[in-house]
Amino acid sequence: MLPALVFLIVVTQLPFVATVVISFVRWNALAPDNRGFAAFDNYKAVFTDPAMRSAIWTTVLLTVTVVLVSLVLGLGLALLLDRKFTGRGVVRTMLITPFLVVPVAAALLWKHALYNASYGLINGTLTWIWKLFGSADPPQPDWMTTSPLAAVEVALIWQWTPFMMLILLAGLQSRPADAVEAARVDGASTWDVFRYLTLPHLRRYLELAALLGTIYVVQNFDAVFTITSGGLGTGNLPYTIYQTFYQAHDYGRASAQGVVVVVCSLLVATFALRTVSSLLREEITR
Amino acid sequence: MRARSPGRTVRGERSAVRPGRRGPIGWAAATVAAALVLSGCYRGAGNLGNEGRDTINVLMVNNPQMADLQRLTAEHFTRQTGIKVNYTVLPEDDLRDKMSQDFSSQAGQYDVASLSNYETPIYARNGWLSPLGERAARDTSFDQADLLAPVRKSLTAADGKVYAEPFYGESSFLMYRKDVLRDAGLTMPAKPTWKQVAALAAKLDGARPGMKGICLRGQPGWGQLAAPLTSVVNTFGGTWFTKDWQARVNSPEFTAATRFYVDLLREHGEAGAPQAGYTECLNDMQQGKVAMWYDATAGAGSLESGDSKVAGKVGYVPAPVERTASSGWLYTWAWGVQKASTHQDAAWRFISWASGKGYERLVGERLGWSKVPAGKRASTYRDPDYLRQSGAFAAATKNAIASARPDDPGVQPRPAPGIQFVGIPEFSDLGTKVSHEVSSAIAGRQSVSEALDKSQRLAEEVARAYAKR
């Protein structure tokens, strides 16, 4: 066990320790002769940086929207797929597909093939519909400019809905059938069955899906980077750190940003899990 | 940026930096791990695979011209010289990052790297590169004098020595649909001013169903929007910094240029301008969605290629001007040799082959003349085979590159070289941040003066550090 434990610590914890160390160092790759101990300068820069503040807000907004909407859509799809109908297997496979697309490819697809105002599918469809009615002047909204954050969110929702659907579908299929039968015999309506049997049973699955979804969406980089290049107020935390690291080559400040993000995430996660979730609480009471 | 460098060809879009979904910790951890390995803790591992005297490690950007080079190396270089080449190919941002780590520590892991004319003077000043002038002079078949003067000069550092040899080069010019202008009864001046171009754009709006007047980049990035914008700023008489490091980003000239650029885009520019970069404009031009396009000369190759719907219908004139004689930018990917490399001779032989005349002919004959890494040698533009394929834009491209003046791109002396960028390490970050503000002005979320006031504060921060030196 000990070698395994040592290995685990080396590959998971040491890099973080190194990051913490670097966050106290004045280290810009492009100024090789100006390296040294910076004390809290990097952290000061992080906390006074307006870009960082707006990135935090953007990240929260993006994550909450994407997770909640995909959860609701995923629940709807899972309930539909829980019924028996011909071709169910095929439909399920097709619904899962978006989650299997490489994130960068998906983002490129949304940017060019769908959203693009002059040659994207959405505006092309509008043109076609308007043509049917003999109008040569269809509306050509520019989605990524008018609502850039929503454009990123929609692309992410498309990708994450199947993930939520899978987890909830697993939950639905483990529902005890006899309880539903009994409720039906007692004259419960479909809504009653959903409200008093299905939802309570699904609670842990919903929480798990939301938790996992949040962990992944908070870290999203591909969609922001590709669709809007972080412009028009869509720069989230990973994008901001990327910019500090790759554009400014400021390793010290990028590390400080990383440390701040990790600490904040841990605080929020612990607090959220303790107060909201039954996942941990029941473990503790047992 | 894949920015890009201003003009990426073909696959303009950058792939994202990391394949997986990694978050801040993952990044930081990866960073540190990489930094530890590269900072010399592992000096011993630096030259893995270099047991033979004749193996060199080359680090290069993943542009199509480099991919062709990689394909041709074994048969046409290693077989003749016995020098084996190990390539490491990365997207532009990753390349800059790895390169600056390896070169700044002089770890010697890479013998040769692809640098642009943005990094070359900076790296040379830091003492990270070997001067190549003497080797080039001794190697008569290389013919250093054949290189186009502005390209050669842009790879010459402040000490007057050459530190990199160009692989291909580009400038910028105005591309326009000859047929559309003719049908509208309009003529394009041989040397247009920006005011004339704006007037033409207004008249060309709607010349064909769904067609806008002009395509200009609006996508944030120092290699996207900041490049054409800076070339417009130069010719309007503006500059990022004065000779003695005063930031001038909200000066009247800079503001007039930016306002002109933003208004032109908002009134007669392509749809979706705030996210449109090189690739989007190329698509718009090919789809007939715009009548004019001001961008990299590399775009012409794609517009005239066999499968392009507008091939043969496009005219080319020099980059529009206002107060300067020319305003085209200059960008080149070139080969530099790390000072700490223990394979200096083999490295030069590789460069002499890759940047030589023979290689251009080899690509033309083996892969097609449209794939030639052009824009660096005068002899390319005298080659009948090349001209047969690229006659439509060859002269315009050569003239654009030849008239570029990276040391004096505007109306006032500059503190650092560069036309569409300022040749200081901080510009990649500054240019990107400022282009975010301007892009948001193009989207109508703030006024141009708001955008530039914020940008001025960022530029002042950069200038302060230099003014002290």
Side-chain angles (χ1 to χ4, degrees), chain B residues 284-299:
Chain B
D284 280 337
M285 191 78 184
Q286 285 185 323
Q287 307 282 338
K289 299 277 184 190
V290 290
M292 294 185 284
W293 179 28
Y294 169 63
D295 211 306
T297 52

Side-chain angles (χ1 to χ4, degrees), chain B residues 48-355:
Chain B
L48 274 184
N50 261 5
E51 306 85 40
R53 260 207 25 251
D54 37 18
T55 299
I56 56 168
N57 293 322
V58 176
L59 176 67
M60 64 185 184
V61 69
N62 64 346
N63 289 355
Q65 291 88 335
M66 314 324 192
D68 294 341
L69 179 76
Q70 196 173 0
R71 269 203 298 278
L72 295 167
T73 300
E75 192 184 333
H76 299 278
F77 178 68
T78 305
R79 191 176 290 178
Q80 276 75 347
T81 59
I83 298 168
K84 197 167 163 298
V85 185
N86 292 329
Y87 286 109
T88 304
V89 188
L90 295 172
E92 194 158 338
D93 284 343
D94 290 340
L95 167 97
R96 284 203 166 89
D97 174 51
K98 207 171 192 80
M99 199 160 62
S100 58
Q101 281 174 356
D102 191 50
F103 279 52
S104 62
S105 59
Q106 286 291 299
Q109 187 177 4
Y110 298 104
D111 304 294
V112 179
S114 63
L115 304 103
S116 74
N117 52 330
Y118 169 64
E119 292 97 4
T120 303
I122 298 171
Y123 277 32
R125 194 176 48 234
N126 290 340
W128 298 346
L129 299 172
S130 301
L132 301 175
E134 285 175 24
R135 286 174 193 278
R138 279 204 303 271
D139 185 345
T140 45
S141 67
F142 184 74
D143 194 2
Q144 176 84 359
D146 180 38
L147 297 174
L148 297 169
V151 176
R152 199 174 57 225
K153 253 186 270 169
S154 75
L155 301 171
T156 306
D159 60 7
K161 290 180 181 163
V162 172
Y163 284 92
E165 294 293 356
F167 184 47
Y168 61 90
E170 65 168 33
S171 178
S172 57
F173 54 22
L174 183 70
M175 298 162 260
Y176 65 98
R177 288 280 300 275
K178 292 186 288 194
D179 53 335
V180 175
L181 265 79
R182 198 174 44 241
D183 296 350
L186 300 166
T187 45
M188 174 65 73
K191 287 196 115 183
T193 65
W194 271 115
K195 298 279 183 340
Q196 288 170 325
V197 171
L200 282 172
K203 290 187 185 126
L204 289 165
D205 248 358
R208 301 275 159 93
M211 182 181 269
K212 303 295 278 183
I214 189 164
C215 204
L216 297 167
R217 296 180 191 178
Q219 183 184 337
W222 75 275
Q224 285 284 12
L225 161 62
L229 176 66
T230 303
S231 74
V232 174
V233 166
N234 287 334
T235 197
F236 270 69
T239 180
W240 287 80
F241 300 105
T242 61
K243 181 86 187 156
D244 53 356
W245 292 110
Q246 298 295 309
R248 305 287 291 141
V249 175
N250 57 1
S251 66
E253 297 84 5
F254 201 115
T255 308
T258 310
R259 183 159 289 137
F260 172 85
Y261 192 97
V262 170
D263 289 349
L264 180 56
L265 259 184
R266 285 179 63 83
E267 286 158 22
H268 312 294
E270 74 278 8
Q275 284 82 29
Y278 175 82
T279 318
E280 288 78 2
C281 278
L282 175 61
N283 281 332
D284 280 337
M285 191 78 184
Q286 285 185 323
Q287 307 282 338
K289 299 277 184 190
V290 290
M292 294 185 284
W293 179 28
Y294 169 63
D295 211 306
T297 52
S302 309
L303 292 180
E304 301 290 350
S305 69
D307 52 359
S308 164
K309 281 192 264 182
V310 295
K313 298 177 182 170
V314 184
Y316 304 92
V317 284
V321 289
E322 278 299 314
R323 291 174 51 188
T324 54
S326 67
S327 78
W329 69 57
L330 184 72
Y331 196 80
T332 173
W333 278 108
W335 307 109
V337 179
Q338 181 164 183
K339 206 172 208 159
S341 160
T342 50
H343 304 272
Q344 301 278 340
D345 286 331
W348 172 257
R349 291 191 68 181
F350 167 77
I351 292 174
S352 167
W353 171 71
S355 291

